[in-house]
Amino acid sequence: MKEMTEEKIPFSEYPRPQLKRNSFFNLNGKWLLNGLPITVPFPPESEFSNYGKEVKIGEELIYEKSFSLPEDFEEHRLNGGKILLNFGAVDQQAKVFVDEKFAGEHEGGYLPFSFDVTDFLSKNQNHSIRVEAIDKLSTVYPYGKQCAKSHGMWYTKVSGIWQTVWMECVGESYITSIKIESSTNKIELSAQSLISSFKADELYLLAKIPAEDGKIIEKQFALDQKVVFDFSDESFFKVWTPENPNLYDFSIELCSKQDDNAVLDKIQSYFALRTFKAEVSKEGYPQLLLNDK
């Protein structure tokens, strides 16, 4: 098998397309696992990880990687911005250290998690990450169809880091999550934010949706509110179907009222206009309806 190199980073695209930022520093690629090379984010059980050693249930997995921050990340940090370290998933328990300082821990092998590592980064240009992971195949956590030895419907277990690891720059306050609720002619948007030195009423959100001929539809809303975009009179926006899977981009900015409407954070996302619902047919069978069909 041809071994992957640092120049060819696996899964190099931004891994969270519905909450995407322009800043993106991918940490996939070459790591050390218990002193041996491994290609992240493939789990050690995968041939693509190039690890080549059996991992026992409950074995402590110590991942290590050295890196240098991109110049724009370093400038962002020096100017008072924050840097987040994100993990797509680590199975099942993980403790994370940055430059030998404990940054945080997480339990559960399927959910993404993040740490603000700004204050853990040393002043040196060279930095390090250490992840201490343990997978006991514990039924306390969701584990799907994994088992110690694959057979029948049971899959080979997946241990350690198995989703993309990356860093991104955010403001002192930043958007942590968004929610999109759609129908065939409108959407409702809301967002959650981490607020640092500001008060909630000092901030607002601005959603922008590009339409036809360079037109931008935008609306301002508060952190604790939903904003509704009704496209009933907009011929540009079409319903999503399998035959015509129409998707539309939008952005949300977190802005400060106190600082000349400065943009503290910005994310990109997308939506589709469609409905799903379940009902019982006239014949008495349960059925799933897409756009009432």
Side-chain angles (χ1 to χ4, degrees), residues 23-127:
S23 62
F24 177 43
F25 179 36
N26 196 320
L27 289 164
N28 289 346
K30 293 301 176 187
W31 289 58
L32 290 178
L33 173 56
N34 293 348
L36 297 175
I38 186 170
T39 302
V40 168
F42 300 106
E45 292 87 356
S46 167
E47 184 179 358
F48 284 103
S49 73
N50 297 304
Y51 185 58
K53 183 180 178 182
E54 183 181 358
V55 174
K56 298 178 181 178
I57 295 175
E59 178 182 353
E60 184 177 38
L61 303 176
I62 300 178
Y63 287 84
E64 297 173 290
K65 184 178 182 68
S66 297
F67 66 96
S68 298
L69 279 177
E71 287 186 13
D72 54 338
F73 275 64
E74 198 66 67
E75 291 174 5
H76 179 80
R77 181 168 72 102
L78 294 174
N79 290 328
K82 294 179 181 291
I83 295 178
L84 302 183
L85 172 60
N86 304 293
F87 291 84
V90 181
D91 205 355
Q92 283 179 301
Q93 299 170 296
K95 294 182 179 180
V96 179
F97 300 80
V98 175
D99 289 353
E100 301 302 323
K101 305 180 188 75
F102 178 63
E105 58 187 320
H106 181 264
E107 296 184 356
Y110 288 95
L111 293 178
F113 58 97
S114 301
F115 300 119
D116 177 358
V117 298
T118 314
D119 295 336
F120 299 102
L121 291 164
S122 65
K123 295 181 180 179
N124 301 324
Q125 290 186 342
N126 296 320
H127 305 285

Side-chain angles (χ1 to χ4, degrees), residues 211-212 215 217 230-238 273:
E212 57 188 337
K215 178 183 176 183
I217 304 171
D230 191 330
F231 304 115
S232 301
D233 298 326
E234 295 281 348
S235 60
F236 174 76
F237 297 95
K238 310 294 184 183
L273 296 173

